[in-house]
Each structure stands twice: as structure tokens, then as C-alpha cells.
């Protein structure tokens, strides 16, 4: 034991040295070596214990910190839950208080309603009693009145109603007559005002179109020959024909202006013969104008006779035949009057046949209905009334005369042929293309229609046809598909509606085609 303690107190190096020295001794060497190992193991155990204590302390500290952290979070969470519970409790308390107040108010209102209902019931009872009393009093009064008047209440009521009806009818008729008279007076004034305004707006254009004829010449040298020395030729021509001749800067054209279309035609034909002959002087002008007047008069009679023969109308007075021939040189709203009258005659005949009337009389009235527009003089009468007087003068039948005079309702209709002629006149005038618009505005409208379609992408050509009532649009097949063609047609039609003014409707047709062309040589 003593030796062991000694060895323990020695250093490791000393022990090793001693061990080496004692190598020769077996037991001592082994002993020394085992002592050294024990010392080393104890040292390692002590170090391990000290490290374990340190680790233990660290872990304990960490555990305490974690515990404190978890404890704080738990307390925080509990506090939040507690606050939420308290808030919910407060809300529930408020709701309970509100419900309690509402219940109290409801009960209070219920009591008030019960009280009101009771009061109403009492009042209704009182009213019923009063109504019963009033009914009794009314019956008594009625019985007294019936006894005094000698008639029952129903009879008195009927008598009163009848008297009131008669009085109301009288007042209503009087008021109605006043209103109708006032409306007629105002309508006439308003119609005249509108008519005057319309004439002011379109009179100039219509006068230019219907009172002017353009005579074309080959060159401007002929203008000087027509004018003559110091203007003697043109003055002689104007005096002989009654037409104003306008020689201006318009190239290769001379304007003939007059309201009488026959005079303009005589002047035009006379100028044509003079220019063709080449001899233009006052004596020659008078000779040519006289011959032309005779030719035109003969042509007028021939036209009238041919028209009557074509329509199968016989027995017309020669003067009426001449007036029919004069219609060729007269236009109405841009529509040739003779062509219009022929149409009305044919339509009237067909309609009269369908209605079981006399078709010959209807055709005769249809042909003559506008003869008041071509009189030899200018009386101050509407053309329908003037035509009726002319027909009466030349011994036409009463039905024909009445149809002529009443086709614009200036005269009251007295025969069934009259409304037939009136309707056919309207049909002929309303036929598309019958009454043309001014040439310049018509051409401009067609040009605008084509230009509008050309403004769309993919359109190659456009054609306005049927007097502008249809627009053909040709598109490139490589630029526009079939679906796009449908959309293009719709878009063009909408643009036409928004940007243009036109009569009737315009049909827009988009044409898309693929052409493959080759040549065999």
C-alpha cells in the first residue's frame, strides 16, 4: 500500500524511467505498468466527470430557459384567449340587452296597438250606428221626394242622367266643331308655309333642269356666226322663237332657256338646221323657224294620233289629240308627261277590269288626266280643274271629266273610275326611277357610294347599279376571306346608313372569286 502511494505520487516520466530500469524484473515491471494505467484512467474519469458536470449544468440551464419561454408563451396565449372570451361575453351581454330592449318596445307597441284597435272598434261601432241612422233618414227623404214628385228614385235618376247626357253631347259637339275649324285653319296655314319654304329651297334647281336645253356645236367659231354682226342673228332668233339664247364661255355648247318646252324644241331644231345649212341671217332664220313650227305641230298631231291608236282609244276630239301630243315635250318632276299618262291609262284599264268597271272609260280618263298641264293659254286654275273643263268643252263623258278633275281632290269624286285614276296616277309617279332627281346630284350620289366602299381595305372595284339601289363590291381573294366578306358587307352597309342620304334601301353585294387563267399555245 505504501509502495502504491509512492508510485502514485511520482510523475509519469519518473515511473516510465523506473519501469524501464526495472524491465529486468518481471513482477515489478508489471506492477509499475498497471499503476501507471490506473493513474491515467482515474485522470480520464475525473476529466470526464468534470466535463459531464459542465454539460449537465448547461443542459439544466437550457431546460430552464426553454421552460421559461414555453411558460411565457403559454401565459400569453392564455391571456389572449381570456381576452377573446371576455370580448365575446361582452358582445353577448350587449345583444342580450338589445334584445331585452326590443322585446320591451315590442310589448309596448303591442299594448298601444291593442288600445288603438279597441278605439277603432268603438269608432266603427259608432259609425255603423250613424250609417244606419243615415240610411233610415235617406229612405225617409226618398219616400218624401217620391211622394212629392210623383215618380220613383230610379226614374228620377234616369231622367237626370239623360238630361246630363244631352247637355254633355251638345257641349262636346260644340267644342269638337271649334277644334276642327281651328285645326283646319291652322293646317291650311301650316301647309301653305311648308309649301312656300319647299318651293324656295328647290325652285332654282328645278327651274334650271326643266327650263334649259343645251345645244351642242362642233366648234366655238359657230358661236360667232350665230351671234352675227352686232348680234342681229341672235336677236332675230330670240324674237322668232321666244327663247332666250345664252352664248357664254362654255366650250362647244349654247344654252336655250325658256319655260315652254315646245319653244325650246323649235329653237333647238331651227338652230340645228341653220348650223347644218351654214346660211345664218335674219331672213333665213325666220324662214327656218316657221318651217320648224309647222314640223313640230305636225309631229305633235302625229304623236297624239299614234298614242290614241296604241291605247285603243277612239273618238277623241282633234284638239284633245293635239294636247296629248304636246305632252311629249312636257315633264313633271323629271318624268315625261306623255309616258306617265300612257302608264296611268294602262294601269287604270287593268285595275278597272279587275274591279268589274268599264276599262275603256278608265283608260280614256287615265290618258287625259293631266291634259290641264299643256294648255295653249295659262289660266289661273289647278291643272286638274282645267283638264276637267277642257274635257267638258270637247264633249267627253261625265265619268271621264269627273275622274280628271278629282284625281287631286280639287273636285268631289262622283264615279268609281275617279279613285282608280287617282291611285294609278300615284302608282306611276311612285315607280322607282320614274321621277328622276337632278343629274348632277344623282351622279354625285353614285360616286360617293362607290368611293365609300373603295375606302375599305381589300376592295379592288365598286359598281353602283340600279340607280344606286345596289352596290357591287369586288374584293381580292388573297386579302379577304369568306367570313371577312360577310363582315365587310355589313360594315359597308352601316357606313352608308350613317354617312349618306338616299331613297329606299341600298343592297350591298360583296363578290369574292378566285380566277386561274392559262393559255394553250
Amino acid at each position: 500500500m505504501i509502495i502504491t502511494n509512492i508510485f502514485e505520487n511520482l510523475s509519469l516520466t519518473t515511473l516510465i524511467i523506473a519501469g524501464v530500469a526495472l524491465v529486468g524484473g518481471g513482477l515489478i515491471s508489471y506492477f509499475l505498468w498497471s499503476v501507471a494505467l490506473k493513474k491515467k484512467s482515474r485522470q480520464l474519469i475525473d476529466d470526464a466527470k468534470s466535463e459531464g458536470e459542465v454539460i449537465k449544468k448547461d443542459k439544466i440551464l437550457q431546460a430552464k430557459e426553454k421552460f421559461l419561454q414555453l411558460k411565457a408563451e403559454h401565459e400569453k396565449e392564455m391571456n389572449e384567449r381570456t381576452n377573446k372570451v371576455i370580448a365575446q361575453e361582452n358582445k353577448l351581454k350587449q345583444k342580450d340587452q338589445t334584445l331585452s330592449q326590443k322585446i320591451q318596445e315590442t310589448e309596448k307597441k303591442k299594448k298601444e296597438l291593442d288600445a288603438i284597435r279597441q278605439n277603432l272598434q268603438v269608432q266603427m261601432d259608432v259609425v255603423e250606428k250613424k250609417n244606419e241612422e243615415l240610411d233610415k233618414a235617406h229612405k225617409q227623404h226618398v219616400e218624401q221626394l217620391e211622394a212629392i214628385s210623383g215618380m220613383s228614385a230610379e226614374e228620377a235618376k234616369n231622367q237626370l242622367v239623360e238630361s246630363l247626357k244631352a247637355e254633355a253631347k251638345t257641349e262636346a259637339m260644340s267644342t269638337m266643331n271649334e277644334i276642327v275649324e281651328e285645326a283646319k285653319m291652322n293646317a291650311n296655314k301650316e301647309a301653305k308655309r311648308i309649301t312656300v319654304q319647299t318651293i324656295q329651297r328647290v325652285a332654282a334647281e328645278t327651274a334650271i333642269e326643266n327650263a334649259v336645253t343645251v345645244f351642242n356645236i362642233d366648234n366655238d367659231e359657230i358661236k360667232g356666226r350665230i351671234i352675227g354682226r352686232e348680234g342681229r342673228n341672235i336677236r332675230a332668233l330670240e324674237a322668232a322663237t321666244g327663247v332666250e339664247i345664252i352664248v357664254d364661255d362654255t366650250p362647244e355648247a349654247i344654252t336655250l332657256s325658256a319655260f315652254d318646252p315646245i319653244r325650246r324644241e323649235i329653237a333647238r331644231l331651227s338652230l340645228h338646221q341653220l348650223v347644218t345649212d351654214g346660211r345664218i341671217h335674219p331672213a333665213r332664220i325666220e324662214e327656218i323657224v316657221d318651217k320648224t313650227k309647222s314640223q313640230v305641230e305636225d309631229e305633235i298631231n302625229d304623236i297624239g294620233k299614234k298614242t290614241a291608236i296604241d291605247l285603243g282609244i277612239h273618238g277623241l276630239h282633234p284638239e284633245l289629240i293635239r294636247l296629248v301630243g304636246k305632252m311629249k315635250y312636257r315633264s313633271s318632276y323629271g318624268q315625261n308627261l306623255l309616258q306617265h299618262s300612257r302608264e296611268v291609262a294602262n294601269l287604270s284599264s287593268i285595275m278597272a277590269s279587275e274591279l268589274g268597271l268599264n276599262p275603256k272609260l278608265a283608260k280614256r280618263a287615265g290618258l287625259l288626266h293631266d291634259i290641264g298641264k299643256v294648255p295653249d293659254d295659262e289660266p289661273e286654275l289647278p291643272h286638274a280643274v282645267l283638264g276637267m273643263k277642257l274635257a267638258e268643252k270637247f264633249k267627253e263623258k261625265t265619268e271621264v271629266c269627273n275622274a280628271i278633275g278629282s284625281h287631286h281632290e280639287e273636285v268631289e269624286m262622283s264615279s268609281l273610275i275617279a279613285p282608280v285614276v287617282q291611285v294609278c296616277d300615284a302608282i306611276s309617279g311612285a315607280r322607282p326611277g320614274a321621277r328622276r332627281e337632278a343629274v348632277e346630284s344623282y351622279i354625285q350620289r353614285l360616286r360617293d357610294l362607290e368611293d365609300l366602299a373603295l375606302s375599305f381595305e381589300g376592295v379592288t372595284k365598286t359598281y353602283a347599279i340600279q340607280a344606286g339601289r345596289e352596290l357591287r363590291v369586288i374584293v381580292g381573294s388573297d386579302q379577304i376571306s369568306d367570313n371577312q366578306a360577310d363582315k365587310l358587307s355589313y360594315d359597308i352597309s352601316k357606313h352608308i346608313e350613317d354617312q349618306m342620304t338616299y331613297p329606299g334601301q341600298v343592297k350591298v353585294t360583296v363578290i369574292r372569286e378566285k380566277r386561274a387563267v392559262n393559255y394553250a399555245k
Side-chain angles (χ1 to χ4, degrees), residues 183-200:
K184 285 182 179 179
M185 183 174 60
N186 293 334
N188 290 332
K189 290 181 180 178
E190 189 67 15
K192 290 178 181 178
R193 183 184 67 81
I194 293 171
T195 304
V196 170
Q197 287 183 352
T198 305
I199 292 173
Q200 288 175 344

Side-chain angles (χ1 to χ4, degrees), residues 343-471:
E343 287 181 0
V344 174
N346 289 322
L347 290 171
S348 299
S349 175
I350 295 170
M351 189 174 290
S353 298
E354 295 293 333
L355 295 173
L357 304 176
N358 189 335
K360 292 184 178 180
L361 279 181
K363 183 180 289 188
R364 197 180 191 95
L367 178 63
L368 300 177
H369 80 284
D370 271 345
I371 58 172
K373 290 184 178 180
V374 287
D376 293 326
D377 53 358
E378 298 292 337
E380 296 180 356
L381 287 174
H383 77 273
V385 177
L386 178 59
M388 181 183 69
K389 291 185 177 298
L390 288 172
E392 291 174 348
K393 177 180 178 181
F394 298 116
K395 309 302 180 183
E396 286 294 325
K397 292 187 177 182
T398 305
E399 294 89 342
V400 175
C401 297
N402 179 256
I404 295 171
S406 62
H407 77 277
H408 284 310
E409 298 183 355
E410 281 95 354
V411 177
E412 186 178 355
M413 296 182 183
S414 61
S415 66
L416 293 176
I417 294 176
V420 171
V421 173
Q422 183 187 44
V423 170
C424 293
D425 177 41
I427 292 172
S428 175
R431 175 175 57 83
R435 294 181 175 177
R436 59 184 176 85
E437 55 189 316
V439 176
E440 292 182 359
S441 62
Y442 170 74
I443 295 174
Q444 185 62 39
R445 180 167 65 85
L446 297 187
R447 187 179 295 114
D448 292 342
L449 196 62
E450 293 178 348
D451 292 342
L452 187 147
L454 277 174
S455 64
F456 284 82
E457 185 178 356
V459 176
T460 58
K461 295 180 182 179
T462 57
Y463 300 99
I465 61 176
Q466 293 185 4
R469 286 174 172 79
E470 183 175 356
L471 180 65

Side-chain angles (χ1 to χ4, degrees), residues 44-74:
L44 291 172
I45 290 169
D46 292 337
D47 292 340
K49 285 181 179 180
S50 61
E51 290 179 1
E53 289 294 332
V54 172
I55 293 171
K56 181 180 178 181
K57 289 179 181 180
D58 290 339
K59 294 295 182 181
I60 291 171
L61 289 173
Q62 291 179 0
K64 287 182 178 180
E65 291 177 356
K66 186 68 175 178
F67 173 74
L68 293 174
Q69 183 180 358
L70 291 173
K71 183 179 179 182
E73 291 178 355
H74 178 70

Side-chain angles (χ1 to χ4, degrees), residues 10 25 62 83 99 114 128 158 185 298 307 331 375 416 464 517:
L10 293 176
Q62 291 179 0
N83 291 332
L99 287 173
D114 291 338
E128 287 180 357
N158 291 335
M185 183 174 60
D298 292 340
T307 302
S331 63
L416 293 176
V517 180

Side-chain angles (χ1 to χ4, degrees), residues 17-141:
I17 295 171
V20 172
L22 295 176
V23 167
L27 181 61
I28 296 171
S29 298
Y30 174 78
F31 179 77
L32 292 172
W33 180 71
S34 63
V35 170
L37 286 176
K38 285 183 179 180
K39 186 175 181 180
K40 183 64 175 175
S41 62
R42 285 181 181 175
Q43 186 176 359
L44 291 172
I45 290 169
D46 292 337
D47 292 340
K49 285 181 179 180
S50 61
E51 290 179 1
E53 289 294 332
V54 172
I55 293 171
K56 181 180 178 181
K57 289 179 181 180
D58 290 339
K59 294 295 182 181
I60 291 171
L61 289 173
Q62 291 179 0
K64 287 182 178 180
E65 291 177 356
K66 186 68 175 178
F67 173 74
L68 293 174
Q69 183 180 358
L70 291 173
K71 183 179 179 182
E73 291 178 355
H74 178 70
E75 290 178 352
K76 182 179 179 182
E77 185 178 356
M78 291 301 294
N79 289 332
E80 290 178 353
R81 291 183 178 179
T82 303
N83 291 332
K84 288 182 180 180
V85 171
I86 292 171
Q88 293 291 335
E89 289 178 352
N90 292 332
K91 288 182 180 179
L92 290 173
K93 288 180 179 179
Q94 290 178 356
K95 288 182 178 179
D96 290 339
Q97 291 177 357
T98 304
L99 287 173
S100 299
Q101 291 177 356
K102 288 183 178 180
I103 290 170
Q104 291 177 358
E105 291 176 357
T106 303
E107 291 179 351
K108 183 178 180 181
K109 289 181 178 179
K110 185 178 179 181
K111 292 179 180 178
E112 292 176 355
L113 288 173
D114 291 338
I116 292 170
R117 190 180 294 109
Q118 291 177 357
N119 292 330
L120 287 174
Q121 187 65 36
V122 173
Q123 292 177 1
M124 287 176 66
D125 294 339
V126 173
V127 169
E128 287 180 357
K129 291 180 180 179
K130 289 184 177 179
N131 287 334
E132 292 177 356
E133 294 176 356
L134 287 174
D135 289 339
K136 291 179 180 179
H138 177 69
K139 288 179 180 179
Q140 292 177 357
H141 288 298

Side-chain angles (χ1 to χ4, degrees), residues 7-23:
F7 278 107
E8 289 177 353
N9 294 325
L10 293 176
S11 63
L12 182 60
T13 304
T14 305
L15 289 174
I16 292 171
I17 295 171
V20 172
L22 295 176
V23 167

